Coordinates of all heavy atoms in Angstrom, one line a residue:
S110 N 9.4 -12.8 -6.6 CA 9.7 -13.7 -5.5 C 9.1 -15.1 -5.7 O 9.8 -16.1 -5.4 CB 9.2 -13.1 -4.2 OG 9.9 -11.9 -3.9
L111 N 7.9 -15.1 -6.1 CA 7.2 -16.4 -6.3 C 7.9 -17.2 -7.3 O 8.0 -18.5 -7.2 CB 5.7 -16.2 -6.7 CG 4.8 -17.4 -6.8 CD1 4.7 -18.1 -5.5 CD2 3.4 -17.0 -7.3
A112 N 8.4 -16.6 -8.4 CA 9.0 -17.3 -9.5 C 10.4 -17.9 -9.2 O 10.8 -18.8 -9.8 CB 9.1 -16.4 -10.7
V113 N 11.1 -17.3 -8.2 CA 12.5 -17.7 -8.0 C 12.6 -18.5 -6.7 O 13.7 -18.9 -6.3 CB 13.4 -16.5 -7.9 CG1 13.4 -15.7 -9.2 CG2 13.1 -15.5 -6.7
C114 N 11.5 -18.8 -6.0 CA 11.6 -19.5 -4.7 C 11.0 -20.9 -4.9 O 9.8 -21.1 -5.1 CB 10.9 -18.8 -3.6 SG 11.6 -17.2 -3.2
P115 N 11.9 -22.0 -4.8 CA 11.4 -23.3 -5.0 C 10.7 -23.9 -3.8 O 9.8 -24.8 -3.9 CB 12.6 -24.1 -5.3 CG 13.7 -23.3 -4.7 CD 13.3 -21.9 -4.7
R116 N 11.0 -23.5 -2.5 CA 10.4 -24.2 -1.4 C 8.9 -23.8 -1.2 O 8.6 -22.6 -1.3 CB 11.2 -23.8 -0.1 CG 11.9 -25.0 0.5 CD 12.7 -24.6 1.7 NE 12.0 -24.0 2.8 CZ 12.6 -23.8 4.0 NH1 13.8 -24.1 4.2 NH2 11.9 -23.2 5.0
E117 N 8.1 -24.8 -0.9 CA 6.7 -24.6 -0.9 C 6.2 -23.6 0.1 O 5.3 -22.8 -0.1 CB 6.0 -26.0 -0.7 CG 4.5 -25.9 -0.8 CD 3.8 -27.2 -0.7 OE1 4.5 -28.3 -0.6 OE2 2.6 -27.3 -0.7
D118 N 6.8 -23.7 1.3 CA 6.4 -22.8 2.4 C 6.7 -21.3 2.1 O 5.9 -20.4 2.4 CB 7.0 -23.2 3.7 CG 8.5 -23.2 3.7 OD1 9.1 -23.4 2.7 OD2 9.2 -22.9 4.8
I119 N 7.8 -21.1 1.4 CA 8.2 -19.7 1.0 C 7.2 -19.3 -0.1 O 6.7 -18.1 -0.1 CB 9.6 -19.6 0.5 CG1 10.6 -20.3 1.6 CG2 10.0 -18.2 0.2 CD1 10.5 -19.6 2.9
R120 N 6.9 -20.1 -1.1 CA 6.0 -19.8 -2.1 C 4.6 -19.5 -1.6 O 3.9 -18.6 -2.1 CB 5.9 -20.9 -3.2 CG 7.2 -20.9 -4.1 CD 7.1 -21.8 -5.3 NE 7.1 -23.2 -4.9 CZ 6.1 -24.0 -4.9 NH1 4.9 -23.6 -5.2 NH2 6.3 -25.3 -4.5
E121 N 4.2 -20.2 -0.6 CA 2.9 -20.0 0.1 C 2.8 -18.6 0.6 O 1.8 -17.9 0.5 CB 2.6 -21.0 1.1 CG 2.2 -22.4 0.6 CD 0.9 -22.3 -0.2 OE1 0.0 -21.5 0.1 OE2 0.8 -23.0 -1.2
T122 N 3.9 -18.1 1.2 CA 3.9 -16.8 1.8 C 3.8 -15.7 0.7 O 3.1 -14.7 0.8 CB 5.2 -16.5 2.6 OG1 5.2 -17.3 3.8 CG2 5.4 -15.1 3.0
F123 N 4.5 -15.9 -0.4 CA 4.4 -14.9 -1.5 C 3.1 -15.0 -2.3 O 2.6 -14.0 -2.8 CB 5.7 -15.0 -2.4 CG 6.9 -14.5 -1.7 CD1 8.0 -15.3 -1.5 CD2 7.0 -13.2 -1.3 CE1 9.1 -14.9 -0.8 CE2 8.1 -12.7 -0.6 CZ 9.2 -13.5 -0.4
K124 N 2.5 -16.2 -2.3 CA 1.2 -16.3 -2.9 C 0.2 -15.6 -2.1 O -0.7 -14.9 -2.6 CB 0.8 -17.8 -3.1 CG 1.4 -18.5 -4.3 CD 0.8 -19.8 -4.6 CE 1.2 -20.9 -3.6 NZ 0.7 -22.2 -4.0
Y125 N 0.3 -15.7 -0.8 CA -0.6 -15.0 0.2 C -0.4 -13.5 -0.1 O -1.4 -12.7 -0.1 CB -0.2 -15.4 1.6 CG -0.7 -14.4 2.6 CD1 -2.0 -14.4 3.1 CD2 0.2 -13.5 3.2 CE1 -2.4 -13.5 4.1 CE2 -0.2 -12.6 4.2 CZ -1.5 -12.6 4.6 OH -2.0 -11.7 5.6
A126 N 0.9 -13.0 -0.2 CA 1.1 -11.6 -0.4 C 0.5 -11.1 -1.7 O -0.1 -10.0 -1.7 CB 2.6 -11.3 -0.4
I127 N 0.6 -11.8 -2.8 CA 0.1 -11.4 -4.1 C -1.4 -11.3 -4.0 O -2.0 -10.4 -4.5 CB 0.5 -12.4 -5.2 CG1 2.0 -12.3 -5.5 CG2 -0.3 -12.2 -6.5 CD1 2.6 -13.4 -6.4
T128 N -2.1 -12.3 -3.4 CA -3.5 -12.3 -3.2 C -4.0 -11.1 -2.5 O -4.9 -10.4 -2.9 CB -4.0 -13.6 -2.5 OG1 -3.6 -14.8 -3.3 CG2 -5.5 -13.6 -2.4
K129 N -3.4 -10.9 -1.3 CA -3.9 -9.8 -0.5 C -3.6 -8.4 -1.1 O -4.4 -7.5 -1.1 CB -3.2 -9.8 0.9 CG -3.6 -11.0 1.7 CD -5.1 -10.9 2.1 CE -5.6 -12.0 2.9 NZ -7.1 -11.9 3.2
T130 N -2.4 -8.3 -1.8 CA -2.1 -7.0 -2.4 C -3.0 -6.8 -3.6 O -3.4 -5.6 -3.8 CB -0.6 -7.0 -2.9 OG1 0.2 -7.4 -1.8 CG2 -0.2 -5.7 -3.4
T131 N -3.3 -7.8 -4.3 CA -4.3 -7.7 -5.5 C -5.6 -7.2 -5.0 O -6.3 -6.3 -5.6 CB -4.4 -9.0 -6.3 OG1 -3.1 -9.4 -6.7 CG2 -5.3 -8.8 -7.5
E132 N -6.1 -7.8 -3.9 CA -7.4 -7.4 -3.3 C -7.4 -6.0 -2.9 O -8.4 -5.2 -3.2 CB -7.7 -8.3 -2.1 CG -8.0 -9.8 -2.5 CD -8.2 -10.7 -1.2 OE1 -8.0 -10.1 -0.1 OE2 -8.5 -11.8 -1.4
Q133 N -6.3 -5.6 -2.3 CA -6.2 -4.2 -1.9 C -6.2 -3.2 -3.0 O -6.8 -2.1 -3.0 CB -5.0 -4.0 -1.0 CG -5.1 -4.7 0.4 CD -3.9 -4.6 1.2 OE1 -3.6 -3.6 1.8 NE2 -3.1 -5.7 1.2
L134 N -5.4 -3.6 -4.1 CA -5.4 -2.7 -5.3 C -6.7 -2.6 -5.9 O -7.1 -1.5 -6.3 CB -4.4 -3.3 -6.3 CG -4.2 -2.5 -7.6 CD1 -3.6 -1.1 -7.2 CD2 -3.2 -3.2 -8.5
D135 N -7.5 -3.6 -5.9 CA -8.9 -3.6 -6.5 C -9.7 -2.6 -5.7 O -10.5 -1.7 -6.2 CB -9.6 -4.9 -6.4 CG -9.1 -5.9 -7.5 OD1 -8.5 -5.4 -8.5 OD2 -9.4 -7.1 -7.4
T136 N -9.6 -2.6 -4.3 CA -10.4 -1.7 -3.5 C -9.9 -0.3 -3.7 O -10.7 0.7 -3.7 CB -10.2 -2.1 -2.0 OG1 -10.6 -3.5 -1.8 CG2 -11.0 -1.2 -1.1
I137 N -8.6 -0.1 -3.8 CA -8.1 1.3 -4.0 C -8.6 1.9 -5.3 O -9.0 3.0 -5.3 CB -6.5 1.2 -3.9 CG1 -6.1 0.9 -2.5 CG2 -5.9 2.6 -4.4 CD1 -4.6 0.6 -2.4
I138 N -8.5 1.1 -6.4 CA -9.0 1.6 -7.7 C -10.4 1.9 -7.6 O -10.9 2.9 -8.1 CB -8.6 0.6 -8.8 CG1 -7.1 0.5 -9.0 CG2 -9.3 1.0 -10.1 CD1 -6.6 -0.5 -10.0
H139 N -11.2 1.0 -7.0 CA -12.7 1.2 -6.9 C -12.9 2.6 -6.1 O -13.8 3.4 -6.5 CB -13.3 0.1 -6.1 CG -14.8 0.3 -5.8 ND1 -15.8 0.2 -6.8 CD2 -15.4 0.6 -4.6 CE1 -16.9 0.5 -6.2 NE2 -16.7 0.7 -4.9
T140 N -12.2 2.8 -5.0 CA -12.3 4.0 -4.2 C -12.0 5.2 -5.0 O -12.7 6.2 -5.0 CB -11.5 3.9 -2.9 OG1 -11.8 2.7 -2.2 CG2 -11.7 5.1 -2.0
L141 N -10.9 5.2 -5.8 CA -10.5 6.3 -6.6 C -11.5 6.6 -7.7 O -11.9 7.8 -7.9 CB -9.1 6.0 -7.3 CG -7.9 6.1 -6.5 CD1 -6.7 5.4 -7.2 CD2 -7.5 7.5 -6.2
L142 N -12.1 5.5 -8.3 CA -13.1 5.7 -9.3 C -14.4 6.3 -8.7 O -15.0 7.3 -9.2 CB -13.4 4.4 -10.0 CG -12.3 3.9 -10.9 CD1 -12.7 2.4 -11.3 CD2 -12.2 4.7 -12.2
T143 N -14.8 5.8 -7.5 CA -16.0 6.3 -6.9 C -15.9 7.8 -6.5 O -16.9 8.5 -6.6 CB -16.3 5.4 -5.6 OG1 -16.4 4.1 -6.0 CG2 -17.5 5.9 -4.9
K144 N -14.7 8.2 -6.1 CA -14.5 9.5 -5.7 C -14.1 10.5 -6.8 O -13.9 11.7 -6.6 CB -13.4 9.6 -4.6 CG -13.9 8.9 -3.3 CD -12.8 9.0 -2.2 CE -13.4 8.4 -0.9 NZ -14.5 9.2 -0.4
G145 N -14.1 9.9 -8.0 CA -13.7 10.7 -9.2 C -12.2 11.2 -9.2 O -11.9 12.2 -9.7
M146 N -11.4 10.4 -8.5 CA -10.0 10.8 -8.3 C -9.0 9.9 -9.2 O -7.8 10.1 -9.2 CB -9.6 10.6 -6.9 CG -10.3 11.6 -6.0 SD -10.3 11.2 -4.2 CE -8.6 11.0 -3.9
Y147 N -9.6 9.0 -9.9 CA -8.7 8.1 -10.7 C -8.1 8.9 -11.9 O -8.9 9.5 -12.7 CB -9.4 6.8 -11.2 CG -8.5 5.8 -11.8 CD1 -7.9 4.8 -11.0 CD2 -8.1 5.8 -13.1 CE1 -7.1 3.9 -11.5 CE2 -7.3 4.9 -13.7 CZ -6.7 3.9 -12.8 OH -5.8 3.0 -13.4
I148 N -6.8 8.8 -12.1 CA -6.2 9.5 -13.2 C -6.1 8.5 -14.4 O -5.3 7.6 -14.4 CB -4.8 10.0 -12.8 CG1 -4.9 10.9 -11.6 CG2 -4.2 10.8 -14.0 CD1 -3.6 11.3 -11.0
R149 N -7.0 8.7 -15.4 CA -7.0 7.7 -16.5 C -5.9 8.0 -17.5 O -5.6 9.2 -17.8 CB -8.3 7.8 -17.2 CG -9.5 7.3 -16.4 CD -10.8 7.3 -17.1 NE -11.9 6.9 -16.3 CZ -12.3 5.6 -16.2 NH1 -11.7 4.6 -16.8 NH2 -13.4 5.3 -15.4
P150 N -5.3 6.9 -18.1 CA -4.4 7.1 -19.2 C -5.1 7.7 -20.4 O -6.3 7.7 -20.4 CB -3.9 5.7 -19.5 CG -4.1 4.9 -18.2 CD -5.4 5.5 -17.6
P151 N -4.4 8.2 -21.4 CA -5.0 8.8 -22.5 C -5.9 7.8 -23.3 O -5.6 6.6 -23.3 CB -3.9 9.3 -23.4 CG -2.7 9.3 -22.5 CD -2.9 8.3 -21.5
F152 N -7.0 8.3 -23.9 CA -7.8 7.5 -24.8 C -7.2 7.7 -26.3 O -6.7 8.7 -26.6 CB -9.2 8.0 -24.8 CG -9.9 7.7 -23.5 CD1 -10.0 8.7 -22.5 CD2 -10.5 6.5 -23.3 CE1 -10.7 8.4 -21.3 CE2 -11.2 6.2 -22.1 CZ -11.3 7.2 -21.1
I153 N -7.3 6.6 -27.0 CA -6.9 6.7 -28.5 C -8.0 6.0 -29.3 O -8.8 5.2 -28.7 CB -5.6 6.0 -28.7 CG1 -5.6 4.5 -28.4 CG2 -4.5 6.7 -28.0 CD1 -4.4 3.7 -28.8
P154 N -8.2 6.3 -30.6 CA -9.2 5.6 -31.4 C -8.9 4.1 -31.4 O -7.8 3.6 -31.4 CB -9.0 6.2 -32.8 CG -8.2 7.5 -32.5 CD -7.4 7.3 -31.3
Y155 N -10.0 3.3 -31.5 CA -9.9 1.9 -31.6 C -9.3 1.5 -33.0 O -9.7 2.2 -34.0 CB -11.2 1.2 -31.5 CG -11.8 1.1 -30.1 CD1 -13.1 0.6 -29.9 CD2 -11.2 1.7 -29.0 CE1 -13.7 0.6 -28.7 CE2 -11.7 1.7 -27.8 CZ -13.0 1.1 -27.6 OH -13.6 1.1 -26.3
P156 N -8.4 0.5 -33.1 CA -7.9 0.1 -34.4 C -9.0 -0.5 -35.2 O -9.9 -1.1 -34.7 CB -6.8 -0.9 -34.1 CG -7.1 -1.4 -32.7 CD -7.7 -0.2 -32.0
Q157 N -9.0 -0.3 -36.6 CA -10.1 -0.8 -37.4 C -9.8 -2.3 -37.9 O -10.7 -3.0 -38.2 CB -10.2 0.1 -38.7 CG -10.6 1.5 -38.3 CD -11.9 1.6 -37.6 OE1 -12.9 1.0 -38.1 NE2 -12.0 2.2 -36.4

Side-chain angles (χ1 to χ4, degrees):
S110 298
L111 185 62
V113 301
C114 294
R116 244 175 62 172
E117 185 176 356
D118 59 328
I119 308 300
R120 285 189 288 107
E121 284 299 323
T122 289
F123 288 118
K124 281 193 282 186
Y125 162 80
I127 291 170
T128 299
K129 291 298 182 182
T130 307
T131 302
E132 290 173 356
Q133 290 173 80
L134 182 59
D135 283 344
T136 301
I137 290 166
I138 291 174
H139 174 75
T140 305
L141 284 165
L142 289 168
T143 301
K144 293 182 177 295
M146 293 162 55
Y147 191 91
I148 304 171
R149 292 183 184 271
F152 291 95
I153 60 171
Y155 289 177
Q157 299 301 307

